């Protein structure tokens, strides 16, 4: 049912977590969300929402602890799936972090958190 041939609208997209503007072609994660009724006729279906996370936030979320709320947990698990499946996304996130780290004092390096990728439930 999805058309992936590049017909997406060219609206400006912002990371839901950090509000960074996502440029066209930038590595990011999009979560598509819609609701539909089950067992009700005629079936009702909401419009689809597209929620975006920049690579850094997606990796940070995916490597982090589960959030509060069943719906948030469901989204978190989906993000973990795609983050774990695509090293390019993690690399993009680290490139972002290196850019940030370059502006920090050298003696702060030991406090830098590192994603381990071994502390959980990544399944492929
Ligand atoms: Zn972000």
């Amino acid at each position: 049912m999805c058309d992936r041939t590049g017909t997406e609208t060219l609206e400006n997209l912002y990371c839901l977590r950090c509000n960074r503007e996502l440029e066209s072609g930038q590595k990011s994660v999009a979560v598509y969300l819609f609701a539909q009724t089950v067992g009700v006729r005629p079936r009702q279906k909401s419009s689809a929402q597209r929620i975006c996370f920049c690579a850094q936030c997606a990796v940070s979320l995916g490597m982090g602890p589960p959030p509060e709320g069943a719906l948030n947990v469901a989204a978190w698990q989906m993000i973990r799936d795609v983050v774990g499946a695509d090293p390019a996304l993690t690399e993009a996130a680290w490139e972002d972090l290196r850019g940030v780290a370059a502006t920090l004092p050298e003696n702060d390096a030991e406090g830098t958190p590192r994603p381990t990728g071994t502390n959980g439930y990544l399944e492929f």
Side-chain angles (χ1 to χ4, degrees):
M1 67 183 194
C2 284
D3 179 0
R4 299 189 180 192
T5 56
T7 56
E8 292 175 0
T9 55
L10 292 174
E11 66 199 296
N12 286 341
L13 297 169
Y14 294 86
C15 173
L16 183 70
R17 188 163 177 258
C18 70
N19 270 331
R20 183 198 313 205
E21 185 171 359
L22 298 169
E23 295 165 13
S24 176
Q26 184 174 344
K27 293 185 179 69
S28 61
V29 173
V31 177
Y32 295 89
L33 192 66
F34 72 93
Q36 75 179 22
T37 57
V38 176
V40 176
R41 294 189 184 279
R43 174 175 287 181
Q44 301 298 323
K45 187 172 172 181
S46 75
S47 60
Q49 298 285 324
R50 174 167 158 168
I51 299 163
C52 296
F53 295 100
C54 69
Q56 195 175 336
C57 287
V59 171
S60 177
L61 284 167
M63 298 292 183
E68 295 279 325
L71 189 61
N72 289 339
V73 169
W76 173 73
Q77 287 172 335
M78 290 189 287
I79 292 169
R80 284 174 76 88
D81 277 352
V82 294
V83 167
D86 184 4
L89 197 68
T90 310
E91 287 164 15
W94 276 103
E95 282 171 22
D96 287 349
L97 280 176
R98 273 195 287 273
V100 172
T103 67
L104 295 174
E106 286 289 325
N107 60 12
D108 200 36
E110 286 189 17
T112 304
R114 300 184 63 85
T116 64
T118 59
N119 60 339
Y121 315 85
L122 294 180
E123 295 175 2
F124 301 95

